[in-house]
Amino acid sequence: QVQLRERGGGLVQPGDSLRLSCEVSGISVSATNMAWFRRTPGKERELVAQITWRGTATDYLDSVKGRFSIARDSAENTIYLQMYSLKPEDTALYYCNVAGANDLTGWGQGTQVTVSS
């Protein structure tokens, strides 16, 4: 059974940085395309960033390009999302999952990122 545990969210001011982590069990991040998603109450879930199982290719939502960076630690089976220059528009509940996750996929609890002055 896949288990996902997101951590690292918090309340920050615009321009601040955060690093989110996602501990993964049940699947190997070095054998699975992984991704970070985010969701706000009035908006559908967005694919924020993804990384291939090889770790050699990444892709980002246009609005976070140049500010966010996804990475993995194969030894710890953990996915990270380094976020710089955070904006209020980045406020959301952030989730880690397989890149192809949808409403039928199991999800973790997520970690809340709030960017506010």
Side-chain angles (χ1 to χ4, degrees):
Q1 183 177 355
V2 177
Q3 188 170 354
L4 307 160
R5 186 181 182 184
E6 300 93 344
R7 301 178 66 87
L11 174 62
V12 297
Q13 294 185 336
D16 284 353
S17 300
L18 281 174
R19 189 175 193 179
L20 309 182
S21 63
C22 176
E23 300 174 16
V24 182
S25 300
I27 56 173
S28 172
V29 302
S30 62
T32 310
N33 296 344
M34 301 297 299
W36 283 95
F37 302 81
R38 68 186 183 186
R39 192 167 192 173
T40 58
K43 194 175 182 180
E44 288 192 13
R45 181 173 54 244
E46 295 180 305
L47 177 63
V48 178
Q50 57 184 329
I51 185 169
T52 63
W53 66 270
R54 303 173 190 84
T56 57
T58 58
D59 193 30
Y60 299 91
L61 183 68
D62 284 344
S63 61
V64 308
K65 286 181 178 178
R67 300 188 297 116
F68 290 10
S69 180
I70 187 171
R72 72 177 190 185
D73 186 325
S74 296
E76 296 185 359
N77 209 44
T78 299
I79 301 295
Y80 299 93
L81 185 67
Q82 178 66 59
M83 304 183 292
Y84 297 103
S85 301
L86 283 162
K87 304 176 179 180
E89 295 77 22
D90 297 317
T91 297
L93 189 60
Y94 283 73
Y95 300 89
C96 178
N97 215 322
V98 298
N102 54 39
D103 289 344
L104 301 179
T105 309
W107 295 82
Q109 298 297 306
T111 185
Q112 179 68 39
V113 173
T114 302
V115 186
S116 179
S117 298

